[in-house]
Amino acid sequence: MEQKKQTYQPRTLETNLPFSWKRLFFQWEWMLLLILIAVLLLGSYVSPYFLNYPSLRDGTMVFLDKALIVFPMAMIMIMRDIDISVGSTVALSSVVMATLYTSAGLPMEVAIIACLATGAICGLINGLLIVKFKELSAVIVTLGTMILYRGIAYIILEDQAAGGFPEWFGFFGWGYVFGIPFLLIVFAALALLFGIVLHKTTFGRKVFAIGNNPTASRFSGIKVDKVKVIVFMLAGLLAAVTAIFLTSRMGSTRPNIATMYELDIIAMAALGGVSTAGGKGRVLGVVIAVFIIGYLQYGLGLINLPSQIFLIIVGALLILSVAIPKLGGMMKRK
Amino acid sequence: MTNEFVLEMKGISKAFPGVKALNDMQFQLKKGEIHALMGENGAGKSTFIKIITGVHQPTEGEMLLVGEKVSFQNPKQAQQHGIAAIYQHVTSYPDLSVTENIFMNHEIRHQVWKTLNWREMHKQARQLLRELGSSLDPKAQMNTLSVAQQQIVEIAKAISTKAKIIIMDEPTAALTARESEELYRITEKLRDEGTSIIFISHRFEDMYRLASRVTVLRDSNYIGTWDVEDISNEKLIVAMVGREINQIFPDKKTSAGETVLEVKNLCKLGEFEDISFSIKSGEILGMTGLVGAGRTEVCQAIFGITAFDKGEILLSGRSIRNKNPQAAMNNGIGYLAEDRLDQGLLVDWSIEKNITLANLSDLSSFTWIHRDKEKRQAKEFGEKVHIKATSIFDSVNSLSGGNQQKVAVAKLLTKELKVILLDEPTKGVDIGAKAAIYEIVQQLAEAGYAVLFVSSEMPEILGMSDRILVLKEGRIAADFVNRGITQEMILEAAMGEEQVQEKSG
Amino acid sequence: SQGAPESSGTSGGESNDGPKKYAFVFKNTGNPYGEKMLDGFESTIKELGGEVILRSPDQPTAEGQIQIIEQLITQKVDVIAVAGNDPDALEPALKKAKDQGIKVLSVDSAVNAASRDIHVNQANPERIGRVQIEAVSEMIGGEGQIAVLSATSQATNQNTWIEWMKKELEKEDYKDIELVKVAYGDDLRDKSVSETEALLKSYPDLKAIIAPTTVGIAAAGKVLTDKGLEGQIALTGLGLPSEMATYIKSGVSPWMYLWNPIDVGKGAAYAAYELGEGNITGELGEKVDLRDLGEVEVVEDGEGTQIMLGDPFKFDETNIDEWKDVY
Amino acid sequence: MEIKTENLDLEKKNPLALFYQFRELGLFFFIVILCIGVQLRNPSFLTGENILDMATNTSILVILALGMMIVLITRGIDLSIGAVIALSGMLTAQLVAANPTVNPFLCLLIGTIIGALCGMVIGLLVAKVGLLPIIATLALMNIFRGLTFLVSDGEWVSSYQMSESFVEIATGTFLGLNHLIWIAVIFCLVFFYFLNYTRTGRQIYAVGSNPQSAAVSGIKQGRILFLVYTIMGGLSGLCGVLWVSKFASAQGDTASGYELTVIAACILGGVSIAGGSGKLAGVLLGAILLGILNNALPLLNVSPFWQNGIQGFIILLAVIVNAIVKRRVERIHLLRRAG
Ligand SMILES: Nc1ncnc2c1ncn2[C@@H]1O[C@H](COP(=O)(O)OP(=O)(O)OP(=O)(O)O)[C@@H](O)[C@H]1O
Ligand SMILES: Nc1ncnc2c1ncn2[C@@H]1O[C@H](COP(=O)(O)OP(=O)(O)OP(=O)(O)O)[C@@H](O)[C@H]1O
Ligand SMILES: [Mg+2]
Ligand SMILES: [Mg+2]
């Protein structure tokens, strides 16, 4: 090679970024953290019951159940898709579990496994329909299955409630391990797991790649369809996990549980910085966002504010948190 | 005050956050002239154009239109002043019809009702297209057209505004020689009717054929303006690249080994038929033909992106069937996509992550990505193809076209491959970068790769290939050994009525 | 290990000085029937000298009520009165409350026996079922097809009442009355309208509709009015006087029933107060002093106990005008 | 110049070609078959009265779907419309309750203005601030719904508080057809004209089809987005008044979740979530399919527990059948071009 005339000058590429304060501080997560601190301060200001360990601890149990689904939902949104059937999947898996236990007389352990399987299958169906019929978007597919899954739940349980679970089943929703709610431990574990998967593994990298440019990802040898199906299955599976916790908290189930969960979950992910335009988002931001919304609602609940005020506050928070950085950016450019 | 210049740009500068894209640019356009604008990738040509058309506003400088000072806040104002542009990246509306694409935002309306006059618009669209020598249906939806056809629609759109100044940013990048010829004819006709034309191209043949004057930019700076007759090829290259390039095409050292890839009777309904060829290791097989001849389709079928109906692909004598790109890559076949922005790269990502995307499995254990390994590999391959950037963390969309293409090539090299399919690897790439890419391709061949080199540009096909395949309407029209072959022979095969079957022996 | 390891408050009442806190959790916000009940509860507790907390989730779901109950536990209220969105699903949350010494009673829609101390029943469900059948029989002259338009297929109250209606229809007096269908309008206006229209088309000989739910009866009234069917198809059931005033006066619904939600709220308040003061425990046979509503006895209700307020009140054209502005 | 699309001309000569170009062909067949099926089970389905009922009940959905269509074409989405319906319906109803003599046309106007104002807020956030439509409207859905509860204080406005003339808006008939049907028909015509014969109408498609090209062709994107959300808001506000008038009652939770029905109608009708494409005829068919389902399921005496499941199944089936038919048609095109 040396004997050839080089038609270009050799160049080197830097592999270390110089340290930059700007990069460290201009991050969405700091903003979220500030909001969270503000929420905690506000909470302690308005209610004497808010800022103490037992209260904050038990407060998490109030909102963390649905928050479990936020992780796969974030993945789905990063891939520029959306899944609005998760609430119905929660209901269906819960109903299947309860029916198998009460009517079919199966052991609870088997019913729980069936619940997880149901959720995963629901997710699988979503995923398969989405990749097989690309001309239909994820919105229409999951809109259809949203109605369908809940419909099946109704067909199974009709107007009945099913419950009477064994004593130990209540542990999921109400139990503590070393003084920490079991639900919180599961949430933390899932946050860690999803954080690693999304940010440190090839699978996560592929998810981001698909969100950025699905065609180029396919051309680069990523099995786009497979990744999509897996992520939708994960959403179904986590919906089933939520079903277990929710059912445990309610001690019984009905086909109409978990209605409108999808919107709450999407709001959490969006506040956490996951963009539905695809390709962006971090698990840390999502986790903070979950606690912001959760503690805000909890804190406002402790001073017994009407729930419609809460609707308005969460709506305004969502808009402000997304709009302020944009407005700031607009100012700077001018 | 009469004015010799229809358009005059004085001291134009433009800064994007972090980039000075244009610095003290001077430009003068006469009435009825074709003025070429040349420079390396990223020199600032497209930015300059966008300033003229009001898409961007200059940070400094002034703009005179027929002697009068103007400043455009948006493209509509430029349009109203008789400036039309065909942008580098085709800016069509894929979901709308040809007519609508042509007349968008200057629709024809009924005199009385002020409603859109579809009948008239279709009629005029058909007329415009016919003048351009095309019989496209004005009602056809844009995304059913090929790139060349879309280009024609873009030209029709520019003409339909009855513009006095038409700017063409690399209109020939997606065209073959034959279609370029058609475009030259149209351009000259427009010039003769008194329109002034700014023409950007990386092809020297375009400039020599069309332009009377040429302005050169380098690294955002204005270098100079010359009459085309007065400047030699070498001087022009020095002006553009800032140094001499003695040899564009590397020396060929054919040392073909065993047959690596063999394609037998490949057929796909409506796309291609009866495609058979083979490539030996160390060999570069050129593939050319008119746009739409189906070259991309053949490559993508081999690479497993689309399925084919009939036929067989043999790799080192073993029959393979690639269900998806990953299978193809595992079998040792790589593909450099024609459309790098849409199919090749993740433009929002850093160079580093783009390079390693296809090779993550080798950089990870139990799917955990080793960042150090990844960075090392990105650096290694990035430097191997000489990407012009400061760090591997630069985002790809901050790079010029040529450097983007190099990133795509670097990505391809990370995998251990036997065959690489290069689909228009130099499309829209400047002369310096082209030479670099040619050299990389030659090195690959020497390293034992079997290379399929798809291109519409005759000089590079002739300059690079050991053998040349010519495709016509999805069939192989000719298969030449590249010895004493001329452009005319290839063109004849690509367009001729009877099939030239000159089997190489 | 289940149950809070270090209990977050020993028992509600004792650790608190000052007035006792009485909380009422209704099914959802924006429901005038509920608002009136809350009004009755609030004013009565204030008179009795307690502190009032009124809460409702924005959607009628058990999940929302569980959240609220958790928050009430944290605030160490003394008594929780709840109109349950689900009889069973609140059990774990309410049990937690009871474990912390909070007294629990359900009002209007019962929660199961394990999760409450007592239920305040607005009216005897058997009586509710019976009066509606009596009314319908009188309106159609004792024979013909009738249909029921209910709320959701899961609404416990409605389902109980419909059960009682069916039992009542087995009586010899009503042998010529045929219940052809129970339709569900899900308490949605548009769905209730579609269901009513479908009833009319599928059963051309239909003589009457019973709609034991506010949205349903008003929607049915609207359909019958629009189709000009007053006098041909009778409508009765349970509805808010304000919603039904138009149709009662026009004769589409000759009369219908409801109890006074303000009184229900009051009754709940007295019961809550007695529970909170420890005057009653919800044992069978106890007497509860409901002041101006009279004294009632704690009676059996399935496995639990309840007290029952008066019979449903009949609204017809003679009295509707004075009530329509009240609730 | 030899270009393959010359073949496109051939298609016109084929009598079936026009048929094939109708992209919602599959959906149309699906509806026909569905109707036949329902008719066989219950003969009262295709009677004049029932068809009129069905049309009346579907009118509001059609009007809203028109607005949602243009929002979707610009790559947006509006989740707040249910809340806007409730807010405008509640405010108008309160107005009527306070002044029974208010002219019904004024009511319609006021409702529309309230809705348009709500829509402008969304438009500003989307077009000027650059929020993603799904986030902005999700947030505003909460806010508008909350506001409705605040202004109503949890109370309803009942039929006795409404004047005869107000209720007449949605119950009166003209030439034997309900006013609602007329309003829907008028809006369909206006939209057809607007989308196909005005500049702004075509610019809506342009912005959705390729925002970058729209920018370089000098289309004021912000203005178009603002307009689209304002129109959607205005239509929601109008429908709020119609809704309250039709049911003679205004509640805080009016039309809760209705946005999903409207979006479903659009997507069933072939409007692409990815923007750029969508035809009025398709949206109409989509809304009609949903209208038929709402009407037919109760008529068929389907168990209430099965209704949800069947509805979801049919929606999925309809979009899948439509997708498959479309693929078939494209394959036929290809074959013809190749042959
Ligand atoms: N919107 C933008 N924001 C930031 N940087 C930009 C923007 N547009 C162009 N640039 C930068 O400005 C420089 C000039 O780009 P331009 O597109 O004008 O080059 P060009 O001469 O047209 O190159 P090519 O031949 O590859 O088309 C490049 O470095 C490019 O990265
Ligand atoms: N007018 C058309 N309508 C629909 N499809 C077309 C049309 N023209 C071409 N195609 C399809 O596009 C395919 C590939 O076209 P393309 O122009 O990419 O071919 P190509 O030979 O790879 O040309 P190039 O790579 O030079 O652009 C063709 O095989 C054909 O199926
Ligand atoms: Mg350029
Ligand atoms: Mg090609």
Side-chain angles (χ1 to χ4, degrees), chain D residues 58 133 151 261:
Chain D
T58 315
V151 297
T261 312

Side-chain angles (χ1 to χ4, degrees), chain A:
Chain A
M1 226 195 272
E2 277 73 55
Q3 77 274 22
K4 291 190 67 111
K5 272 166 274 166
Q6 298 277 333
T7 51
Y8 36 74
Q9 303 124 357
R11 278 180 173 272
T12 53
L13 289 170
E14 199 57 52
T15 54
N16 290 310
L17 281 183
F19 178 79
S20 144
W21 285 105
K22 216 169 133 189
R23 206 172 47 244
L24 186 61
F25 278 101
F26 276 76
Q27 295 202 9
W28 185 234
E29 283 74 16
W30 289 111
M31 163 102 169
L32 287 176
L33 208 56
L34 284 180
I35 300 180
L36 180 59
I37 291 170
V39 165
L40 292 178
L41 289 178
L42 180 87
S44 66
Y45 176 72
V46 296
S47 167
Y49 303 106
F50 182 72
L51 202 63
N52 57 67
Y53 175 64
S55 167
L56 287 181
R57 178 194 64 196
D58 290 359
T60 60
M61 298 169 92
V62 173
F63 59 79
L64 277 187
D65 53 355
K66 68 178 95 166
L68 300 179
I69 314 176
V70 84
F71 300 118
M73 182 66 90
M75 280 188 164
I76 290 175
M77 284 163 71
I78 287 170
M79 291 193 310
R80 299 195 216 178
D81 277 328
I82 203 140
D83 184 350
I84 52 177
S85 73
V86 285
S88 298
T89 308
V90 171
L92 180 56
S93 346
S94 169
V95 163
V96 166
M97 173 172 67
T99 313
L100 287 182
Y101 177 72
T102 52
S103 304
L106 293 177
M108 196 62 207
E109 292 82 353
V110 179
I112 289 176
I113 292 169
C115 167
L116 295 173
T118 307
I121 291 171
C122 288
L124 179 70
I125 293 173
N126 283 338
L128 286 179
L129 285 177
I130 287 165
V131 302
K132 291 293 167 215
F133 295 95
K134 296 223 166 51
E135 54 270 68
L136 312 176
S137 62
V139 180
I140 181 67
V141 169
T142 55
L143 183 75
T145 54
M146 170 177 93
I147 304 172
L148 180 66
Y149 295 159
R150 196 170 291 279
I152 298 174
Y154 274 107
I155 292 172
I156 295 175
L157 212 49
E158 305 207 329
D159 58 351
Q160 303 301 306
F165 300 113
E167 190 73 12
W168 58 265
F169 183 67
F171 175 78
F172 286 102
W174 299 92
Y176 295 80
V177 177
F178 301 123
I180 302 169
F182 182 57
L183 182 52
L184 182 58
I185 293 174
V186 171
F187 179 79
L190 282 172
L192 196 66
L193 182 70
F194 273 87
I196 289 173
V197 168
L198 199 54
H199 301 300
K200 297 288 174 197
T201 69
T202 54
F203 187 78
R205 183 68 69 81
K206 289 173 186 173
V207 168
F208 279 106
I210 293 171
N212 264 289
N213 186 341
T215 320
S217 302
R218 196 161 89 86
F219 277 63
S220 307
I222 293 173
K223 289 180 180 156
V224 175
D225 289 357
K226 198 174 126 193
V227 173
K228 275 199 176 175
V229 171
I230 291 177
V231 173
F232 274 92
M233 257 181 92
L234 275 179
L237 189 66
L238 267 287
V241 175
T242 294
I244 294 172
F245 282 99
L246 186 63
T247 313
S248 163
R249 280 186 72 73
M250 309 210 303
S252 69
T253 191
R254 278 176 183 277
N256 65 351
I257 62 164
T259 37
M260 307 277 270
Y261 264 31
E262 47 279 349
L263 291 183
D264 293 344
I265 293 164
I266 292 169
M268 286 176 188
L271 182 65
V274 178
S275 153
T276 43
K280 283 198 198 77
R282 266 195 282 183
V283 168
L284 181 63
V286 170
V287 170
I288 304 176
V290 166
F291 281 94
I292 291 176
I293 295 192
Y295 276 134
L296 187 62
Q297 180 163 28
Y298 184 65
L300 296 178
L302 287 185
I303 53 168
N304 304 309
L305 233 48
S307 50
Q308 50 264 38
I309 305 263
F310 177 72
L311 284 182
I312 297 180
I313 290 180
V314 167
L317 180 74
L318 195 56
I319 288 185
L320 286 180
S321 62
V322 188
I324 285 174
K326 296 219 179 223
L327 286 173
M330 269 161 69
M331 297 299 175
K332 230 183 280 168
R333 242 173 285 143
K334 272 178 187 162

Side-chain angles (χ1 to χ4, degrees), chain B residues 45-46 88 169-170:
Chain B
K45 304 178 297 290
S46 301
Q88 179 170 12
D169 194 352
E170 299 195 36

Side-chain angles (χ1 to χ4, degrees), chain B residues 278-295:
Chain B
S278 63
I279 317 177
K280 299 194 177 73
S281 115
E283 189 181 38
I284 300 176
L285 175 66
M287 185 189 264
T288 187
L290 300 186
V291 167
R295 297 160 301 173

Side-chain angles (χ1 to χ4, degrees), chain B residues 75 79 87 91-96 100 104-105 107 115-116 118 133 135-136 140 145 149 152 179 182 269 473, chain D residues 1-6 8 193 196-199 202-203 205-206 209-210 213-218 276 335 338:
Chain B
Q79 270 171 33
Y87 294 94
T91 51
S92 63
Y93 302 103
D95 307 291
L96 304 184
E100 278 187 86
M104 182 54 70
N105 218 19
E107 294 89 347
T115 62
L116 303 184
W118 285 112
S135 55
L136 276 176
L145 307 185
Q149 293 168 329
I152 290 166
E179 289 149 331
E182 201 66 44
L269 185 72
E473 288 176 17
Chain D
M1 191 178 247
E2 197 187 46
I3 283 165
K4 278 187 183 167
T5 28
E6 276 168 44
L8 284 178
Y193 167 81
N196 292 302
Y197 290 97
T198 69
R199 248 181 214 193
R202 296 319 293 176
Q203 288 180 351
Y205 282 89
S209 184
N210 187 346
S213 359
V216 297
S217 14
L335 277 173

